[in-house]
């Protein structure tokens, strides 16, 4: 990525600094590692406590044709009635099959033992038996078996509690309402006959609780369907893999076996029903054909009697045989047409092919009839009567044969489904997948930690380098490193406006650790300040900042100490009469300070205190007044500063934050030099700009800035943002 650069060589504000993001990751590597570790440990705990889910599977095959062919097999082969995979899949998933499995395995009755929270199932799986302190919970080796549970519709889906009483007794509750007591192995009635319950077995300690629930049949079917899956092995193989997931391995195996058996049984019934339908049709036709045969024989006998037994010639006999065969075929086609008409319409290709074949036979019959028309009338009449007899007789014989065949087919129906592999539970649970889950959750934790750091870095607007402040047109006089020793001097005191308490300094770092890097930076500031104040109208220096917590008091105190160690007479004034805490660094009370001097309650000489550092004096803030800004704007404060300027070489004034109150602007107008303290990683550039604008609008010119608490981090870019701080008076 090519970054757009500013004139100062820094990345443009709208670009993402890849180096800064990489540095942010390095800065927070231990934080990222900790979050990742927490997710990994959480994943390990989860997979250990989670209830394992087992899978039972079975294999069934759907063959293309039944084992025995029926009398209409030729027609069915033309119709291509082989079962389709999609249809068989839907049958397996249907409520017809799953509903029967629910009924057979009584899956609409749910028994849930009460366990210890979180770890109860884990302890039971480890075989932990009931300890002495156990009360309601159910432990290893304890169970309840329901022989019968019938409830009225109003009680469907409502949980019932069974509490073991010992010695084969139990109590039944609906929520907290006692419905009654019962005995194991006996039929009991509760709720005025709305609930019939028989507890077959109850092995549990006294007080152990179980929850009974009678679900609706549809709810049980839907629950079973959500755990049941079926898929075809290979394309058009007709082999289906059935699988069922359950937390109880035995129940998974029994339920899947029931599904496979039900599917096999319904397939056999379907094949048998088809044979029964064909047999019923043939039986309906048999009496009609027999009646037609009797009528045809009577008609032939009567005619021969009238004509004195007319015989057929050889040629006529040949025509008769051909005509009988045609008529027999046409009759058979008509039977098939009657059956096909119940299945398809005339536009179906197979139906149309059968009709076309029938028409061809009828046209050939018409040609023979034309030939018969040329014969003598007596021969024609005898031939037609003989044809009716023989055709009807042949059809009658075929019908009887087909009925016998269909009876055999019905009795021998085995269906076209085979169970190749019986239902069996796999030895290892399929969920949770422990290694995969732990690895996945560890990666998720790592990604979240990295993402959080990157997002925080991308959207962070706080200044992190002196160049960011100088881009605002404000020179940086010093960058003060974050001091570990100073952190030990910070104490937190409870305050009504601070949830975490207020941090105050309890000592001078310059006198405790004179070689600290932060003090060395302030010595450099002392040198820069000497030249900066040469053109100043007075020896007053105001230290302020845009917001609370930037380290103004730390800079004020230790800069004053460093200057005093350099031989100057330095006075430090705590002008933050609301929440100033410079007095804690000197180990004195805040009373008898600036507010008392300005209100005339305390002489100036009594208010000036001496410190352990030679040449360093101080004035505390005094008691918090109701009108600190008005007191600073009064003539007494101006006269006070003029008096102190003559007594000391340098007067350093610590003020409240600029964006919180107006005190800093009031003090700044009476100070020749103003420095603004910004904290590394806390103050956005926009916030510093707003503070500068507020001071400049009051006629205060800021000489320069101090970047405080700089940390040695790898990420060194910048961003923008603005925050508003409430600043209330406190003790």
């Amino acid at each position: 990525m090519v970054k757009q650069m500013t004139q100062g060589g820094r990345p443009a504000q709208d670009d993402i600094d890849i180096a800064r993001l990489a540095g942010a990751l390095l800065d927070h590597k231990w934080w990222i590692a900790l979050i990742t570790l927490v997710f990994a440990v959480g994943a390990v705990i989860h997979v250990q406590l989670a209830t394992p889910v087992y899978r039972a599977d079975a294999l069934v095959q759907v063959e293309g044709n039944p084992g025995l062919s029926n009398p209409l097999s030729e027609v069915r082969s033309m119709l291509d009635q082989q079962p389709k995979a999609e249809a068989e899949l839907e049958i397996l998933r249907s409520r017809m099959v799953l509903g029967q499995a629910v009924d057979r395995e009584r899956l609409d009755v749910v028994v849930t033992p009460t366990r210890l929270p979180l770890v109860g199932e884990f302890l039971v799986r480890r075989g932990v038996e009931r300890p002495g302190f156990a009360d309601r919970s159910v432990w290893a080796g304890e169970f309840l078996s329901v022989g019968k549970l019938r409830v009225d519709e109003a009680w469907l889906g409502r949980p019932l509690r069974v509490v073991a009483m010992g010695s084969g007794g139990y109590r039944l509750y609906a929520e907290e309402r006692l419905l009654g007591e019962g005995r194991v192995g006996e039929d009991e009635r509760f709720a005025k006959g709305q609930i019939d319950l028989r507890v077959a077995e109850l092995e549990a300690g006294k007080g152990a609780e179980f929850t009974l629930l009678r679900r609706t049949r549809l709810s049980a079917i839907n629950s079973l369907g959500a755990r049941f899956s079926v898929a075809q092995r290979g394309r058009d193989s007709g082999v289906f893999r059935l699988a069922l997931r359950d937390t109880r391995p035995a129940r998974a195996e029994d339920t899947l076996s029931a599904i496979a058996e039900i599917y096999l049984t319904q397939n056999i019934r379907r094949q048998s029903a088809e044979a029964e339908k064909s047999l019923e049709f043939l039986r309906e036709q048999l009496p009609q054909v027999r009646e037609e045969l009797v009528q045809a024989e009577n008609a032939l006998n009567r005619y021969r009697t009238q004509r004195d037994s007319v015989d057929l010639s050889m040629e006529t006999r040949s025509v008769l045989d051909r005509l009988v065969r045609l008529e027999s075929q046409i009759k058979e086609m008509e039977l098939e047409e009657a059956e096909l008409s119940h299945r398809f319409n005339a536009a179906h290709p197979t139906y149309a092919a059968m009709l076309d074949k029938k028409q061809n036979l009828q046209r050939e019959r018409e040609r023979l009839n034309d030939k018969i028309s040329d014969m003598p009338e007596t021969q024609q009449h005898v031939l037609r009567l003989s044809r009716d007899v023989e055709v009807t007789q042949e059809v009658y014989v075929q019908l009887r044969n087909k009925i016998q065949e269909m009876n055999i087919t019905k009795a021998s129906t085995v269906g076209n489904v085979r169970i190749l592999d019986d239902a069996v539970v796999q030895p290892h649970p399929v969920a949770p997948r422990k290694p995969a889950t732990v690895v996945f959750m560890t990666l998720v934790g790592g990604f979240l930690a990295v993402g959080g750091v990157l997002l925080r870095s991308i959207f962070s607007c706080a200044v992190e380098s002196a160049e960011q402040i100088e881009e605002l047109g404000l020179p940086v006089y010093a960058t003060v490193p974050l001091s570990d020793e100073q952190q030990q001097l910070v104490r937190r005191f409870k305050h009504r406006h601070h949830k975490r308490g207020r941090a105050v300094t309890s000592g001078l770092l310059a006198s405790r650790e004179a070689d600290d890097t932060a003090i060395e930076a302030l010595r450099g500031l002392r040198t820069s300040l000497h030249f900066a104040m040469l053109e100043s109208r007075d020896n007053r220096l105001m230290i302020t900042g845009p917001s609370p917590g930037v380290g103004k008091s730390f800079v004020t105190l230790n800069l004053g100490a460093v200057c005093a160690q350099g031989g100057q007479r330095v006075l430090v004034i705590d002008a933050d009469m609301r929440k100033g805490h410079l007095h804690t660094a000197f180990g004195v009370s805040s009373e008898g300070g600036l507010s008392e001097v300005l209100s005339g309650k305390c002489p100036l000489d009594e208010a000036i205190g001496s410190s352990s550092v030679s040449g360093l004096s101080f004035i505390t803030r005094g008691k918090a007044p109701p009108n600190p800004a008005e007191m600073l704007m009064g003539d007494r404060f101006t006269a006070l500063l003029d008096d102190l300027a003559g007594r000391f070489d340098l007067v350093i004034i610590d003020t409240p934050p600029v964006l919180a109150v107006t005190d800093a602007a009031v003090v700044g107008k009476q100070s020749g030099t103003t420095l603004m303290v910004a904290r590394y990683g806390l103050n956005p550039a926009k916030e510093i700009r707003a503070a500068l604008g507020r001071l400049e609008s009051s006629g205060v010119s800021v000489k320069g800035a101090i970047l405080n608490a700089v940390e040695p981090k790898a990420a060194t870019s910048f961003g923008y943002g603005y925050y508003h701080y409430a600043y209330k008076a406190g003790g």
Side-chain angles (χ1 to χ4, degrees):
M1 172 181 176
V2 180
K3 299 180 180 179
Q4 181 183 357
M5 307 300 290
T6 62
Q7 293 182 354
R10 293 180 56 78
Q13 296 178 5
D14 294 335
D15 289 343
I16 296 177
D17 192 340
I18 302 299
R20 177 174 177 268
L21 297 181
L25 295 178
L26 289 176
D27 293 333
H28 296 84
K29 57 181 179 295
W30 297 114
W31 177 249
I32 294 173
L34 177 61
I35 294 179
T36 304
L37 179 62
V38 168
F39 270 77
V41 173
V44 171
I45 295 174
H46 166 72
V47 298
Q48 292 297 327
L49 297 182
T51 302
V53 177
Y54 294 86
R55 188 187 70 178
D57 54 40
L59 204 63
V60 300
Q61 179 187 19
V62 181
E63 298 175 333
N65 293 305
L68 293 176
S69 61
N70 60 41
L72 301 177
S73 59
E74 295 182 0
V75 177
R76 294 206 177 91
S77 64
M78 295 171 57
L79 296 176
D80 191 24
Q81 290 294 303
Q82 297 181 0
K84 303 296 183 182
E86 293 79 5
E88 297 302 325
L89 289 173
E90 293 305 320
I91 292 174
L92 279 165
R93 300 190 188 105
S94 67
R95 287 194 292 268
M96 175 188 68
V97 174
L98 298 184
Q100 293 182 48
V102 166
D103 298 337
R104 181 183 297 184
E105 298 299 318
R106 301 178 61 228
L107 300 180
D108 52 347
V109 177
V110 181
V111 179
T112 306
T114 300
R115 306 286 194 201
L116 283 179
L118 299 179
V119 299
E121 290 287 348
F122 174 79
L123 296 176
V124 170
R125 291 197 301 273
R126 293 298 182 274
V128 178
E129 297 183 353
R130 173 175 291 271
F133 64 84
D135 185 15
R136 300 172 52 193
S137 55
V138 178
W139 296 78
E142 299 181 336
F143 64 93
L144 180 145
S145 176
V146 177
K148 180 181 70 173
L149 177 59
R150 185 206 62 80
V151 300
D152 288 355
E153 185 175 355
W155 289 89
L156 286 174
R158 293 180 58 181
L160 303 171
R161 281 193 305 124
V162 175
V163 180
M165 300 303 297
S167 301
Y170 64 88
R171 289 179 179 174
L172 185 67
Y173 293 84
E175 297 179 349
E176 299 301 325
R177 180 165 61 97
L178 177 63
L179 299 180
E181 298 184 359
R183 302 289 302 175
V184 175
E186 298 180 5
D187 290 340
E188 306 286 355
R189 308 195 74 183
F190 302 94
K192 298 180 180 180
Q194 299 182 50
I195 301 174
D196 290 338
L197 173 64
R198 184 177 72 253
V199 175
E201 294 180 274
L202 177 57
E203 293 292 338
K206 185 176 181 180
E209 293 187 3
F210 298 84
T211 300
L212 298 184
L213 180 66
R214 177 64 183 267
R215 298 184 291 184
T216 63
R217 188 171 186 269
L218 180 60
S219 175
I221 292 173
N222 292 338
S223 176
L224 177 59
R227 297 181 288 111
F228 174 69
S229 62
V230 57
Q232 185 174 201
R233 300 286 299 273
R235 185 176 180 180
D236 299 330
S237 65
V239 177
F240 299 96
R241 171 72 67 181
L242 281 60
L244 181 65
R245 298 160 63 98
D246 203 317
T247 56
R248 292 165 53 182
R251 184 171 63 183
E253 182 173 318
D254 293 343
T255 304
L256 190 61
S257 295
I259 292 175
E261 292 174 5
I262 291 168
Y263 175 62
L264 175 63
T265 302
Q266 68 82 30
N267 180 267
I268 294 175
R269 289 177 179 174
R270 186 172 51 179
Q271 299 290 345
S272 178
E274 188 174 350
E276 178 64 31
K277 188 174 181 181
S278 298
L279 185 60
E280 181 181 354
F281 172 77
L282 294 175
R283 286 173 176 170
E284 290 177 354
Q285 297 298 317
L286 185 62
Q288 300 178 12
V289 175
R290 184 170 59 246
E291 180 64 26
E292 292 176 2
L293 176 59
V294 172
Q295 294 178 359
E297 290 177 342
N298 292 337
L300 177 60
N301 292 332
R302 283 196 302 270
Y303 187 77
R304 282 182 170 177
T305 302
Q306 293 174 1
R307 299 294 181 174
D308 294 329
S309 184
V310 177
D311 294 327
L312 297 176
S313 64
M314 293 287 294
E315 182 181 1
T316 305
R317 171 56 63 179
S318 175
V319 172
L320 176 61
D321 292 341
R322 291 172 56 193
L323 188 59
V324 167
R325 284 197 301 273
L326 285 175
E327 290 287 355
S328 177
Q329 292 177 4
I330 291 173
K331 282 287 186 180
E332 186 174 356
M333 295 298 293
E334 288 176 349
L335 290 174
E336 293 175 359
E337 180 183 1
E339 182 177 2
L340 291 177
S341 63
H342 297 292
R343 299 169 179 265
F344 309 104
N345 55 33
H348 192 276
T350 304
Y351 197 174
M354 189 274 301
L355 292 176
D356 185 63
K357 182 178 179 181
K358 178 183 175 182
Q359 290 175 358
N360 290 334
L361 293 174
Q362 289 174 341
R363 283 193 292 270
E364 186 175 354
R365 184 181 61 181
E366 291 175 358
R367 287 195 297 271
L368 285 177
N369 287 332
D370 292 340
K371 187 174 182 181
I372 293 172
S373 300
D374 296 335
M375 295 181 179
E377 182 179 354
T378 302
Q379 290 291 322
Q380 291 183 30
H381 200 69
V382 172
L383 189 146
R384 290 190 180 96
L385 292 176
S386 300
R387 175 201 62 188
D388 293 340
V389 171
E390 294 187 16
V391 168
T392 306
Q393 186 175 13
E394 187 169 344
V395 170
Y396 180 74
V397 172
Q398 289 179 355
L399 279 177
R400 290 183 60 87
N401 291 337
K402 288 182 178 180
I403 289 175
Q404 294 296 327
E405 293 176 4
M406 290 303 296
N407 283 325
I408 296 174
T409 300
K410 179 182 176 182
S412 306
T413 300
V414 295
N416 60 340
V417 171
R418 289 193 303 161
I419 298 178
L420 302 180
D421 292 339
D422 292 329
V424 63
V425 176
Q426 298 301 321
H428 301 291
V430 295
R433 300 172 61 186
K434 294 183 179 181
T437 301
V438 172
V439 171
F440 175 75
M441 292 303 296
T442 302
L443 293 177
V444 169
F447 287 144
L448 289 178
V450 170
V453 170
L454 293 179
L455 288 176
R456 184 174 182 270
S457 180
I458 290 173
F459 292 103
S460 174
C461 303
V463 294
E464 295 177 342
S465 67
E467 288 81 359
Q468 294 176 257
I469 300 177
E470 291 174 346
E471 288 177 358
L472 302 176
L474 188 65
V476 177
Y477 278 18
T479 55
V480 182
L482 180 66
S483 172
D484 294 333
E485 292 294 332
Q486 175 63 23
Q487 300 304 310
Q488 298 179 12
L489 295 175
V490 173
R491 298 289 184 270
R492 286 194 177 273
F493 295 93
K494 292 184 178 180
H495 192 273
R496 63 178 181 271
H497 299 308
H498 297 268
K499 294 181 178 179
R500 297 179 55 203
R502 187 174 53 161
V504 298
T505 302
S506 62
L508 282 173
L509 181 64
S511 61
R512 179 174 176 175
E513 291 290 339
D515 296 333
D516 193 270
T517 55
I519 301 303
E520 289 295 336
L522 290 177
R523 289 193 180 100
L525 174 61
R526 178 185 64 186
T527 303
S528 302
L529 192 61
H530 171 74
F531 295 102
M533 295 186 67
L534 290 177
E535 300 177 357
S536 177
R537 67 177 186 267
D538 53 43
N539 61 349
R540 305 166 193 165
L541 171 63
M542 182 182 78
I543 305 294
T544 188
S547 63
V550 298
K552 299 182 289 76
S553 300
F554 164 76
V555 173
T556 300
L557 287 169
N558 290 279
L559 177 60
V562 168
C563 292
Q565 290 170 350
Q568 293 180 291
R569 293 174 299 159
V570 181
L571 175 67
V572 175
I573 301 176
D574 190 352
D576 186 354
M577 290 184 285
R578 292 175 175 83
K579 299 168 62 176
H581 53 82
L582 292 186
H583 58 279
T584 60
F586 299 107
V588 298
S589 172
S590 64
E591 297 181 2
L594 181 61
S595 63
E596 283 84 0
V597 173
L598 295 180
S599 62
K601 297 179 181 180
C602 178
L604 176 59
D605 292 337
E606 294 183 8
I608 299 175
S610 299
S611 70
S612 59
V613 179
S614 177
L616 177 63
S617 302
F618 62 89
I619 296 178
T620 63
R621 65 179 174 87
K623 289 185 177 180
N627 55 345
E630 287 75 10
M631 296 180 69
L632 293 174
M633 293 175 64
D635 295 336
R636 286 192 175 186
F637 184 62
T638 303
L640 173 66
L641 292 180
D642 292 339
D643 186 4
L644 294 174
R647 298 189 186 189
F648 297 92
D649 298 325
L650 178 63
V651 177
I652 304 177
I653 307 171
D654 185 20
T655 65
V658 176
L659 298 179
V661 291
T662 61
D663 298 18
V666 175
V667 176
K669 293 183 67 174
Q670 303 191 56
S671 302
T673 305
T674 298
L675 293 181
M676 181 173 292
V677 179
R679 190 178 183 94
Y680 174 92
L682 176 65
N683 298 117
K686 189 174 183 179
E687 189 175 72
I688 300 174
R689 184 186 294 110
L692 290 174
R694 182 167 296 184
L695 290 175
E696 291 174 357
S697 65
S698 300
V700 179
S701 176
V702 180
K703 194 71 173 179
I706 301 169
L707 182 59
N708 186 34
V710 177
E711 300 180 45
K713 291 186 176 181
T716 56
S717 190
F718 65 93
Y720 293 93
Y722 178 73
Y723 300 91
H724 173 71
Y725 293 91
Y727 197 75
K728 301 179 181 180

